[in-house]
């Protein structure tokens, strides 16, 4: 019985070998061709996934699903026990990394109706992403609403309007709020002309509820106005209403937390209106008027730095070529304790470059070396490039510009677009500045060979910029990635597998007999160790144990 089982297994092995030897070259062509097709499809999908999401799909699935099964630990998961034992330096570094990945409101953001929508009408493309507009909606609810809005009918309508996703619904709600305001104003006027006590009481009641709705004018100026002049007209109406509400809430702010919240909201509304009016003046060519409005606004509300009005002021002063005032503003805001921006770093570099760029020559500099002023300019450029390495390609027009988003990520591609969109003209105006930038900006990367691990003048470059920029920027824009990622292993592996199997299919099709001989020799060589092991096992193991193994 045992010898019969051994003979059956030996016969099965011989049959398999005979089957492999009888395979025709057409089978090998079909096998290699199918393998090449499948690996090619995997390669295309992997490349598309890498270009869109910046990582390998196979690698991501392996890390997400296979590592827990194999007992691996996710290093990205927070560890509360270890976090409390970290040193102060590590804690500060992590906090800085989180703050640098924060999304900021673009201080030079365009008008939706007069600029973004016009771009959509002309090109048919949406310049704003849903994520960007959702962040703007959250900003509007934070700046323009408070808990006591339900006491003012018009503000209650606007509170719902800021939450609307449909632009037409928001515009209709703003018109409804203004109509309600006009109704209360008319009733108040009619009640004021009457002489009875009842009408006087009714007039006082209307005075409580009638507040000019400045936020309704803001929404219409931002989204319905199709020109900057129309937006400016609506903002001027909003300014009258906003100043009235601000004066009223200013006198009542100390009467309780509710009135304090109203005053904070009315302050935000007034600052926003004045800043947008200054931007309207800048866009309409009244730059000196815009500079005066911004200076007055910064003097009146010095603590409201969240609007970053100084960046609007810097751009306007550069347009006037008032470089002395630009230097004075930089001296105030380019401080180590204040958060940096591309506007501050690159404007400082522009001023340093302006002193030497008109006479700068790379050939002469290589012969005689850099002077002190040239060295200062180069160091300023390196500092700016380290802060945001995406800007030079836009300033040098190596990448095409798009409309800047309403929110930016500092040190990211979105901030680079926002800066270059408004400041490219100022670099072109300074003779030789772009030439100096072209000759020196790439030297920054030799100073920081591993930007994700260490920095030179700033903290290490944050790893979150690519993901956030992909959410902020439209799909038709190719996001700039720094540092450049190496191709994942699985893309290289599938590319090699696809090329190898395609080559085998071609050779088998062209030389079937020769490739058949090679295939048979390869299979014989492949199965030779197995046959050798089986023979040794047959000679060593007892027949009873071998019988049990063959049954298994």
């Amino acid at each position: 019985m045992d010898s019969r089982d051994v003979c059956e297994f030996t016969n099965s092995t011989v049959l398999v070998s005979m089957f492999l030897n009888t395979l025709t070259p057409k089978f090998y062509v079909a096998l290699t061709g199918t393998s090449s097709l499948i690996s090619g499809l995997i390669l295309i999908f992997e490349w598309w996934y890498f270009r869109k999401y910046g990582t390998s799909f196979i690698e991501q699935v392996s890390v997400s699903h296979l590592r827990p099964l194999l007992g691996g630990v996710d290093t990205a998961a927070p560890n509360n026990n270890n976090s409390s034992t970290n040193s102060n330096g590590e804690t500060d570094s992590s906090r800085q990394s989180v703050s640098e990945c924060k999304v900021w409101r673009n201080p030079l953001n365009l008008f939706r109706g007069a600029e973004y929508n016009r771009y959509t009408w002309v090109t048919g493309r949406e310049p704003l992403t849903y994520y960007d507009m959702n962040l703007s909606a959250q900003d509007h609810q934070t700046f323009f609403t408070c808990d006591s809005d339900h006491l003012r009918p018009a503000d209650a309508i606007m509170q719902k309007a800021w939450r609307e996703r449909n632009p037409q619904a928001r515009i209709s709600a703003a018109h409804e709020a203004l109509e309600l305001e006009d109704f209360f104003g008319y009733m108040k006027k009619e009640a004021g002309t009457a002489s009875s006590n009842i009408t006087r009481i009714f007039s006082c009641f209307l005075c409580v509820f009638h507040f000019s709705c400045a936020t309704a004018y803001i929404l219409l100026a931002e989204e319905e106005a199709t020109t900057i002049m129309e937006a400016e007209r609506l903002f001027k109406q909003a300014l009258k209403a906003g100043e009235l509400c601000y004066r009223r809430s200013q006198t009542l702010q100390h009467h309780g937390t509710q009135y304090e919240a109203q005053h904070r909201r009315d302050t935000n509304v007034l600052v926003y209106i004045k800043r947008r009016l200054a931007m309207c003046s800048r866009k309409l060519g009244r730059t000196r008027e815009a500079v005066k409005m911004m200076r007055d606004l910064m003097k009146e509300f010095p603590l409201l730095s969240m609007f970053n009005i100084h960046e609007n002021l810097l751009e306007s002063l550069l347009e006037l070529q008032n470089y002395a005032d630009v230097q004075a503003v930089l001296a105030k805001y380019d401080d180590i304790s204040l958060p940096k921006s591309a506007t501050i770093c690159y404007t400082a570099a522009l001023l340093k470059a302006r002193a030497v760029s008109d006479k700068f020559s790379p050939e002469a500099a290589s012969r005689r070396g850099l002077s002190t002023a040239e060295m200062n300019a180069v160091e300023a450029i390196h500092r700016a490039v380290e802060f945001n390495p995406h800007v030079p390609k836009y300033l040098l027009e190596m990448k095409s510009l798009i409309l800047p988003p309403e929110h930016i990520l500092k040190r990211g591609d979105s901030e680079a677009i926002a800066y270059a969109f408004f400041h490219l003209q100022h670099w072109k105006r300074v003779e030789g500045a772009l030439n100096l930038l072209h000759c020196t900006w790439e030297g920054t990367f030799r100073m920081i060979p591993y930007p994700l691990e260490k920095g030179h003048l700033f903290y290490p470059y944050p790893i979150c910029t690519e993901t956030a920029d992909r959410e902020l920027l439209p799909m038709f824009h190719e996001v700039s990635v720094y540092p450049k990622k190496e191709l994942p292993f699985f893309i290289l592996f599938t590319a090699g597998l696809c090329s190898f199997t395609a080559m085998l299919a071609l050779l088998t099709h062209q030389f079937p007999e020769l490739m058949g001989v090679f295939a048979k020799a390869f299979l014989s060589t492949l199965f030779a160790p197995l046959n050798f092991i089986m023979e040794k096992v047959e000679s060593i193991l007892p027949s009873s144990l071998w019988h049990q193994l063959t049954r298994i």
Side-chain angles (χ1 to χ4, degrees):
M1 184 68 179
D2 297 336
S3 60
R4 187 184 308 143
D5 292 335
V6 173
C7 292
E8 288 179 358
F9 183 80
T10 306
N11 293 333
S12 300
T13 306
V14 172
L15 290 174
V16 171
S17 301
M18 291 177 61
F19 171 76
L20 294 175
N21 291 329
T22 56
L23 291 177
T24 63
K26 292 183 179 180
F27 170 80
Y28 295 109
V29 173
L31 178 64
T32 53
T34 305
S35 302
S36 177
L37 176 63
I38 294 175
S39 57
L41 293 176
I42 295 175
L43 173 62
I44 293 172
F45 175 77
E46 277 283 297
W47 178 255
W48 170 82
Y49 195 88
F50 175 73
R51 290 296 300 272
K52 185 174 183 180
Y53 299 105
T55 185
S56 167
F57 175 77
I58 301 177
E59 182 179 347
Q60 186 178 17
V61 171
S62 302
V63 171
S64 303
H65 301 284
L66 297 183
R67 179 180 290 181
L69 296 177
L70 297 176
V73 180
D74 189 2
T75 58
N79 191 334
N80 295 330
N81 296 330
N82 295 336
S83 62
S84 59
T85 61
N86 285 344
S87 62
N88 293 333
E90 293 176 349
T91 304
D92 294 340
S93 178
S94 62
R95 289 177 182 173
Q96 180 70 16
S97 177
V98 171
S99 66
E100 286 187 338
C101 292
K102 175 185 175 182
V103 175
W104 298 73
R105 182 83 177 176
N106 183 4
L108 295 168
N109 64 308
L110 305 177
F111 294 85
R112 282 196 189 178
E115 292 171 308
Y116 287 121
N117 287 349
R118 291 179 66 183
Y119 176 84
T120 303
W121 297 337
V122 174
T123 63
R125 291 177 168 180
E126 289 290 342
L128 298 176
T129 62
Y130 173 77
Y131 176 71
D132 192 14
M133 292 188 289
N134 187 48
L135 290 176
S136 297
Q138 295 177 17
D139 292 340
H140 295 153
Q141 294 176 49
T142 302
F143 294 148
F144 302 150
T145 63
C146 64
D147 295 335
S148 61
D149 280 345
H150 63 279
L151 300 176
R152 304 179 184 180
D155 285 338
I157 295 175
M158 289 306 302
Q159 191 176 42
K160 296 179 181 178
W162 294 121
R163 298 173 182 169
E164 283 285 348
R165 294 184 179 180
N166 187 358
Q168 292 302 321
R170 289 196 297 269
I171 293 173
S172 300
H175 283 293
E176 182 183 352
L178 292 178
E179 290 173 2
L180 185 61
E181 175 196 337
D182 294 338
F183 169 75
F184 274 103
Y186 173 76
M187 295 299 295
K188 176 183 174 183
K189 181 179 179 181
E190 291 296 322
T193 57
S195 57
S196 64
N197 292 332
I198 296 178
T199 54
R200 290 175 181 173
I201 295 174
F202 182 64
S203 177
C204 294
F205 174 80
L206 290 175
C207 288
V208 173
F209 285 96
H210 175 232
F211 287 87
S212 299
C213 192
T215 53
Y217 288 111
I218 290 177
L219 193 147
L220 295 178
E222 291 284 354
E223 301 192 19
E224 188 182 41
T226 56
T227 63
I228 300 298
M229 294 182 67
E230 186 180 355
E232 184 183 37
R233 179 182 60 81
L234 289 169
F235 272 120
K236 286 181 178 179
Q237 292 179 276
L239 180 62
K240 294 179 181 178
E243 287 179 337
L244 178 62
C245 293
Y246 176 76
R247 287 194 296 267
R248 287 179 179 177
S249 62
Q250 190 177 26
T251 58
L252 301 173
Q253 61 176 315
H254 302 295
H255 291 188
T257 56
Q258 174 181 327
Y259 295 101
E260 184 179 354
Q262 289 182 5
H263 179 64
R264 186 164 54 249
R265 189 274 308 273
D266 293 337
T267 302
N268 291 336
V269 170
L270 184 62
V271 172
Y272 185 89
I273 293 170
K274 290 187 174 182
R275 172 174 161 270
R276 293 304 259 178
L277 275 173
M279 294 178 67
C280 288
S281 298
R282 166 69 183 92
K283 292 175 184 294
L284 294 173
R286 305 194 303 269
T287 309
R288 295 188 182 278
E289 178 184 342
V291 168
K292 183 179 183 304
M293 295 172 68
M294 293 173 192
R295 289 187 184 277
D296 293 342
L297 186 57
M298 294 170 64
K299 188 180 299 183
E300 185 179 0
F301 302 97
L303 300 179
L304 289 180
S305 60
M306 56 185 169
F307 290 102
N308 291 326
I309 305 172
H310 61 277
E311 296 197 9
N312 300 86
L313 179 60
L314 284 173
E315 196 279 327
S316 299
L317 290 173
L318 287 173
E319 177 64 21
L320 294 175
Q321 302 183 44
N322 195 342
Y323 298 110
D325 287 350
V326 172
Q327 185 63 55
V329 175
L330 285 177
K332 182 178 180 181
Y333 288 97
D334 193 4
D335 187 83
I336 192 172
S337 61
L338 297 176
K340 297 292 183 293
S341 67
T343 300
I344 290 177
C345 294
Y346 277 89
T347 302
L350 176 61
L351 293 187
K352 295 286 182 63
R354 176 176 170 268
V356 298
S357 59
D358 57 336
K359 301 177 181 178
F360 178 78
S361 172
E363 294 80 9
S366 61
R367 289 195 306 268
R368 59 175 171 77
L370 296 175
S371 64
T372 303
E374 290 173 340
M375 184 64 70
N376 292 334
V378 171
E379 289 177 354
I381 290 176
H382 286 175
R383 172 178 180 263
V385 174
E386 180 184 351
F387 182 82
N388 194 317
H390 309 283
V391 173
K393 287 189 176 181
Y394 293 106
L395 292 179
L396 298 173
E397 299 181 88
M398 299 166 65
K399 286 195 68 175
S400 58
L401 276 172
I402 61 172
L403 294 185
E406 293 183 337
H407 290 80
I408 59 175
L409 184 70
K410 289 192 175 183
R411 307 187 74 177
D413 191 30
S414 52
E415 184 192 33
I417 292 171
Y419 173 79
F421 185 85
F422 294 99
H423 289 261
L424 176 59
Q425 55 181 334
H426 307 316
W427 280 81
K428 288 184 175 181
R429 190 177 292 122
V430 177
E431 182 182 357
L434 290 176
N435 178 46
L436 179 60
L437 177 67
H438 175 72
C439 296
T440 57
W441 73 280
E442 291 181 333
T444 309
F445 307 130
R446 291 192 291 270
M447 300 167 54
I448 318 170
Y450 304 103
L452 296 178
E453 300 175 7
K454 67 174 184 177
H456 180 60
L457 299 173
F458 299 98
Y459 282 90
Y461 192 79
I463 61 175
C464 61
T465 55
E466 181 185 356
T467 304
D469 280 332
R470 290 185 188 278
E471 295 288 337
L472 289 171
L473 298 173
M475 292 293 295
F476 59 82
H477 173 73
E478 183 180 355
V479 176
S480 177
V481 179
Y482 175 78
K484 285 292 184 181
K485 292 186 176 180
E486 296 181 356
L487 288 177
F489 165 76
F490 287 103
I491 290 183
L492 300 175
F493 176 75
T494 52
L497 180 62
C498 178
S499 303
F500 178 71
T501 52
M503 182 182 65
L504 286 180
L506 180 62
L507 292 176
T508 307
H509 179 72
Q510 293 293 330
F511 310 102
E513 290 79 7
L514 183 60
M515 291 302 295
V517 172
F518 279 122
K520 292 175 183 178
F522 173 76
L523 292 175
S524 300
T525 307
L526 184 65
F527 283 102
L530 181 61
N531 293 330
F532 177 77
I533 293 173
M534 294 299 298
E535 292 176 358
K536 290 296 183 181
V537 169
E538 289 177 13
S539 61
I540 295 175
L541 291 180
S543 58
S544 59
L545 179 60
W546 182 250
H547 172 65
Q548 295 296 330
L549 291 176
T550 55
R551 291 185 61 183
I552 294 174

